[in-house]
Amino acid sequence: MSVRILASMLLVSVMAAPAIAQESYDVVILGGRVMDPETGRDEVANVGIRDGQVRAITVDDIRGRKVIDASGHIVAPGFVDILASIRQEKSAHEFKIGDGVTTVLGMHGGPIDVAGYAGDHAAVGPLVNYGATVSHAELRQAVGATDRYAPATPVQIEAMRPLAVKAIRDGAVGIGFGINYTPGASYEEVFALFEVAAAEGVPCHLHARYKGNVFPLTMSLATMEVIAMAAATGAQAQLAHLVSSTVGSAPLSIALIEGAAARGVDVGFDFHVWTRNQTRLQSALFDEGWQDRFGGADYSDIYVADTQERLTEARFHELRAQPGPLSIQTEFIPEEEMIMGLESPLGIVSSDGGGLIDGRGHPRSTGTFGRFLGRFVRELEVVDWMEGIAKITLLPAQRLEKSIPAMSRKGRLQIGMDADIAVFDPATVQERATYADPAQRSEGIAYVIVNGVVVLDDGEIVEGAEPGQWLRHPRPAP
């Protein structure tokens, strides 16, 4: 055989080989169970990442500069935490990464100074993508409505509108409400800000007005308020940490949300999966009658967050009378109501985590997604793996993509999507964090990739990686 004929045969052979196998990627993930809730893809395959995006999902061999062996692991979209106030420090980002989270949205609240917020996070060297709403409470403070038990005046309400508009146009991704903490907030001021949100194309995310199932001021009534505001204004609404507020009202509250959504009202809900909440003892939540609103909880169900001291009635009143906020946890959230939320097609799992201070705080800040996958998906089988992954990836991304166009490229594992990816072991994934020792990363989360950059490598944080991006509401056209 002549050299010319042999060369021609080799050229034809190379040209006939799959083109995908000839390409080199920045990162390849080999042999994992690739799961994408939007398309339903569920197969053992290889993933190729280049320039921050997923460029290949194939059973063919592929090669790259960084190779991850994902055998026996699930390869999923990076988890989206739709409700977390991530602290502006590196450790807060590292704990989120250790729980499989690639995007953190502070939908519960956020500052009026949006540029300052973004700059402070950029200075951290962010590992995760981040964004936040503008807070109704901060808007109240800015216009002088400082009494949490008194409604804003008509003049103050009108002054809030332009402040909210400016914050949104500066990049805030919605308006966050904590109405239960400002019980004097009038229907008129809430409605006015819903109108702003509708006009600016952003959602309202609400810790709603009431708590529990003490008639008539039940969480179900608070849910009706939110649905009515959304229906009347056309604004998207999301009820934050619904289950920790229902305490007996879950069946009706969830039915109200599902029924309204089925009839065209843009409303949904999210919640964490822990039996304790965490808040300030000095807040309005612990005003007279709190035990009934907390479903029959007692003083002994309250713990000081930092020390885990269990309170007595005398200690409760002593600490509540002290100046300055004290973080406490209350054991009262029924797991059966969490399961109701998980069984709803609208239920999204979020952490509601505010981060740790000196290693102390609530374990929801560090272990919510490991706990959800380990306990409620693997152990209790409340939902299967695909539906469980959807509740922490696709569903929150879809709730936010109208306000944040970049979210249409997240929460999915498809060619052309942002390479935000979590690789975890379904047999071992679970939380390590506890109430007494919350500063622990979850077990079974092996690799995390943010915008194409590996930030968790075989369980270890990658030093110097800073791929997180500010996710903002787009500026209006000039």
Side-chain angles (χ1 to χ4, degrees):
M1 182 180 295
S2 71
V3 172
R4 180 176 297 176
I5 294 172
L6 180 59
S8 298
M9 291 176 64
L10 288 172
L11 178 61
V12 169
S13 175
V14 168
M15 293 178 65
I20 197 167
Q22 305 305 310
E23 300 187 38
S24 181
Y25 298 92
D26 300 328
V27 182
V28 297
I29 305 170
L30 300 180
R33 180 183 174 185
V34 177
M35 301 188 73
D36 175 56
E38 188 167 58
T39 62
R41 180 193 287 270
D42 184 357
E43 64 174 342
V44 175
N46 304 320
V47 178
I49 297 165
R50 188 190 309 113
D51 297 331
Q53 292 190 340
V54 177
R55 299 294 186 181
I57 303 175
T58 178
V59 296
D60 294 326
D61 292 334
I62 55 177
R63 52 193 172 88
R65 289 193 293 273
K66 168 71 175 177
V67 177
I68 292 171
D69 180 2
S71 302
H73 288 60
I74 288 176
V75 182
F79 307 156
V80 178
D81 192 347
I82 199 173
L83 186 68
S85 302
I86 188 167
R87 296 180 63 81
Q88 294 163 351
E89 54 190 38
K90 201 77 168 186
S91 63
H93 286 241
E94 292 175 352
F95 278 122
K96 284 299 179 187
I97 291 296
D99 204 24
V101 176
T102 56
T103 297
V104 177
L105 284 310
M107 301 303 291
H108 204 225
I112 294 176
D113 178 11
V114 179
Y117 160 87
D120 288 345
H121 271 292
V124 167
L127 277 73
V128 297
N129 304 308
Y130 57 94
T133 61
V134 59
S135 164
H136 166 230
E138 289 217 8
L139 291 168
R140 291 185 110 238
Q141 288 287 326
V143 301
T146 56
D147 183 349
R148 67 189 183 191
Y149 297 105
T153 67
V155 172
Q156 289 169 335
I157 292 171
E158 290 309 308
M160 282 189 230
R161 290 180 187 265
L163 291 177
V165 169
K166 182 180 186 305
I168 292 165
R169 294 184 179 184
D170 286 345
V173 299
I175 301 177
F177 295 80
I179 306 175
N180 214 185
Y181 293 95
T182 53
S186 67
Y187 298 122
E188 287 79 8
E189 69 185 86
V190 175
F191 186 79
L193 292 177
F194 262 74
E195 288 183 317
V196 170
E200 296 297 317
V202 299
C204 292
H205 211 112
L206 303 98
H207 180 133
R209 188 174 297 275
Y210 304 122
K211 196 177 195 75
N213 198 34
V214 181
F215 186 82
L217 305 182
T218 68
M219 186 60 192
S220 300
L221 179 60
T223 300
M224 294 178 208
E225 177 187 349
V226 172
I227 291 170
M229 297 285 185
T233 62
Q236 182 191 77
Q238 182 85 0
L239 284 112
H241 46 65
L242 180 79
V243 170
S244 65
S245 296
T246 49
V247 202
S249 291
L252 180 54
S253 296
I254 293 170
L256 287 164
I257 296 167
E258 289 179 344
R263 289 157 182 82
V265 181
D266 195 349
V267 62
F269 69 99
D270 56 79
F271 56 98
H272 67 74
V273 288
W274 300 83
T275 54
R276 294 185 192 177
N277 75 340
Q278 181 164 315
T279 190
R280 300 178 304 278
L281 184 59
Q282 288 76 15
S283 75
L285 269 64
F286 289 95
D287 287 353
E288 190 68 26
W290 69 268
Q291 295 99 323
D292 290 336
R293 293 192 296 272
F294 278 68
D298 203 354
Y299 299 102
S300 60
D301 294 312
I302 301 176
Y303 300 77
V304 176
D306 285 356
T307 65
Q308 292 298 293
E309 174 192 357
R310 197 170 186 176
L311 300 192
T312 62
E313 181 176 359
R315 186 68 167 148
F316 171 93
H317 291 294
E318 176 189 350
L319 293 175
R320 185 164 160 82
Q322 292 181 354
L326 176 69
S327 289
I328 52 92
Q329 299 164 355
T330 308
E331 183 80 40
F332 75 102
I333 304 171
E335 190 171 81
E336 57 267 27
E337 295 199 355
M338 297 176 200
I339 291 172
M340 293 178 198
L342 293 173
E343 290 174 340
S344 170
L346 300 181
I348 291 171
V349 175
S350 61
S351 75
D352 192 23
L356 305 182
I357 300 176
D358 297 329
R360 314 309 300 172
H362 197 295
R364 65 190 180 185
S365 295
T366 57
T368 288
F369 297 92
R371 175 174 173 79
F372 165 61
L373 293 171
R375 176 157 181 76
F376 294 92
V377 180
R378 183 182 63 241
E379 294 177 7
L380 298 182
E381 298 182 333
V382 178
V383 292
D384 62 24
W385 285 108
M386 187 67 82
E387 189 176 356
I389 290 169
K391 288 182 177 295
I392 56 177
T393 61
L394 179 64
L395 296 186
Q398 289 175 328
R399 290 299 291 160
L400 296 170
E401 60 191 18
K402 291 179 183 178
S403 175
I404 314 170
M407 293 306 298
S408 64
R409 302 188 305 275
K410 299 188 183 295
R412 290 99 164 159
L413 185 46
Q414 304 166 26
I415 293 174
M417 297 297 168
D418 292 344
D420 291 351
I421 296 172
V423 181
F424 65 90
D425 183 348
T428 63
V429 64
Q430 64 183 38
E431 82 281 10
R432 286 195 183 104
T434 65
Y435 296 111
D437 186 7
Q440 301 187 76
R441 296 184 204 146
S442 290
E443 184 176 348
I445 309 288
Y447 300 89
V448 176
I449 299 169
V450 178
N451 295 313
V453 176
V454 178
V455 292
L456 188 73
D457 190 351
D458 197 18
E460 298 296 326
I461 296 291
V462 177
E463 293 296 327
E466 300 179 357
Q469 297 176 357
W470 179 30
L471 301 179
R472 57 161 295 154
H473 185 65
R475 294 182 180 89

